Amino acid sequence: MNLSEKIKAKGREIGFSRIGITDTSSLSEKNERRYREWLAGGYNAEMEFLKKDVDKRLHPAMLFEGARTIVAVAINYSPGAIELQSGKDYSVISRYALGYDYHTIISDKLVLLLDYIRSEVGGRVSGKIYCDSGSLMEKTVAERAGLGWIGKNSLLITKEFGSWVFLGEIVLDIELEGDNKSKNLCSDCNLCIQSCPTGAIIAPGKIDASRCISYLTVENKGAIPEKLRYALGNRVFGCDSCQEVCPFNSNVTQTKEPLFEPDRKLIAVPLDKLFFLASNQFSDWFRDSTIKRVKRNGLLRNIVVAIGNSENKKFVPLLKGMCEKANAVLQEHAEWAISRVVS
């Protein structure tokens, strides 16, 4: 068993679902052109960090001096069947946020894998860990390492686990035997494009982030554009619409990682209860969740929009209270929600 095979075996033992290896050669001219055109078109919305270190993103060998190999990993986070309430008065949270914060879990596992690699080569190796951080095109790297392919919704899709996977990487200064790039199996299927509530998938693999509900409810720090608020429905964090219709996401086995098992108290929470919790117990409830990323006011903004979309007049007193006490962004959203509820 060569070192590459040993690393993959150890990775599976640590708990990764898929492991692949690729080099740090530059991305293809096609990928570079598409990324630069995407940025030039402003489709990154307010995510200015995507404009930083573009050369490093496109040329992984520049990540650090001597970088030669990337070990790419994926871990299944599928929570299995989720029972959602049919009423508009209950919240919907994206599946990836129902368990423990994935950044911590994957990073800890990657540390273990890097320690193993160092032990196998006598410690003479430099490595850098990535998990949804830094200047690395994670999905492109994962595709190149044979983990899966980038679908028309721009997500990494694997044969075994669909797109219900978190990604991570270790960049190394040693050379390892690599894997072949995955074949794209989307064929003529366009279900993800057709299912997007806001039409954010403007072309296969091309997302207008400013219209994407995941962006609007998580990365977006300001107001949600009024013309798009209705499309959020009762989603308060993220959106799974394009994943729910993907054929590769059906019948995926539930994650084997206990910390990714869904926290049942976050599934279909009554909107007024979630509003109270976000207002008064945000840190206690979301300390170990990815949801903490949006912060208290961001989650309240999303809940208020969901309340407006519920069209339930019982929420009017709650909304009026926010109009009196909240910051300008929350006040404006609350006023909009009142107009929706009482119309």
Side-chain angles (χ1 to χ4, degrees), residues 47 49-50 57 71-75 77 96-97 101-108 110 128-139 141-142 155 165-171 214 218-219 237 290-293:
M47 294 183 287
F49 64 89
L50 294 175
R57 294 178 187 276
V71 177
V73 302
I75 184 167
Y77 72 81
Y96 82 89
D101 188 346
Y102 67 93
H103 299 87
T104 301
I105 297 173
I106 294 176
S107 295
D108 288 348
L110 288 172
K128 192 170 182 179
I129 287 171
Y130 293 85
C131 176
D132 195 18
S133 62
S135 304
L136 187 66
M137 305 277 275
E138 287 192 305
K139 291 176 286 187
V141 167
L155 298 177
V165 290
F166 294 129
L167 304 177
E169 301 80 28
I170 305 176
V171 183
S214 285
V218 182
E219 298 294 341
F237 190 91
T290 307
I291 296 173
K292 66 179 180 291
R293 180 176 182 176

Side-chain angles (χ1 to χ4, degrees), residues 32-61:
E32 177 171 353
R33 183 178 66 256
R34 290 182 65 180
Y35 187 65
R36 292 189 184 278
E37 289 177 350
W38 184 75
L39 289 176
Y43 296 120
N44 60 307
E46 298 298 321
M47 294 183 287
E48 292 299 312
F49 64 89
L50 294 175
K51 293 182 177 179
K52 296 180 179 179
D53 298 323
V54 171
D55 286 341
K56 286 185 179 180
R57 294 178 187 276
L58 300 173
H59 309 283

Side-chain angles (χ1 to χ4, degrees), residues 308-321:
N309 289 329
S310 76
E311 300 179 353
N312 192 328
K313 293 182 180 180
K314 75 175 183 179
F315 294 123
V316 170
L318 180 153
L319 294 170
K320 286 184 175 179

Side-chain angles (χ1 to χ4, degrees), residues 167-185:
L167 304 177
E169 301 80 28
I170 305 176
V171 183
L172 301 166
D173 67 348
I174 58 174
E175 196 167 304
L176 296 172
E177 181 179 333
D179 295 285
N180 295 323
K181 180 180 177 181
S182 296
K183 180 181 179 181
N184 191 309
L185 299 180

